Amino acid sequence: GPTVWLPAHAKDVTAVAFAPDGKLLVTAGADKAVRVWDLDAGRQRTGWDGTADPAAVAVAPDGRAVAIAGLRA
């Protein structure tokens, strides 16, 4: 498939997860941001800033929920 450039994070990406249907991508970064991407449109759908050092992300089997695991120092 085509390559899509997603200007996601100001710092390193620390975790990624695809929705089961392959249409959404969730990214987490060292900038304490989590982003949900619409891969067909090539743009951000939603996101959260200021999460506690996100270390892992997951997408529910139905694609309707995102789980974020964070670390606190």
Side-chain angles (χ1 to χ4, degrees), residues 9 13-19 24-29 32-37 48 51-60 65-71:
H9 296 275
V13 172
T14 57
V16 298
F18 284 93
L24 296 178
L25 174 68
V26 180
T27 61
K32 299 185 180 189
V34 175
R35 306 278 182 244
V36 179
W37 300 93
W48 302 272
T51 58
D53 296 323
V57 291
V59 181
V66 172
I68 305 164
L71 304 172

Side-chain angles (χ1 to χ4, degrees), residues 2-49:
T3 300
V4 178
W5 174 257
L6 303 171
H9 296 275
K11 295 185 178 181
D12 292 341
V13 172
T14 57
V16 298
F18 284 93
D21 65 6
K23 294 183 179 185
L24 296 178
L25 174 68
V26 180
T27 61
D31 57 359
K32 299 185 180 189
V34 175
R35 306 278 182 244
V36 179
W37 300 93
D38 179 327
L39 295 177
D40 288 337
R43 64 180 180 82
Q44 183 178 324
R45 180 180 278 186
T46 192
W48 302 272
D49 292 314

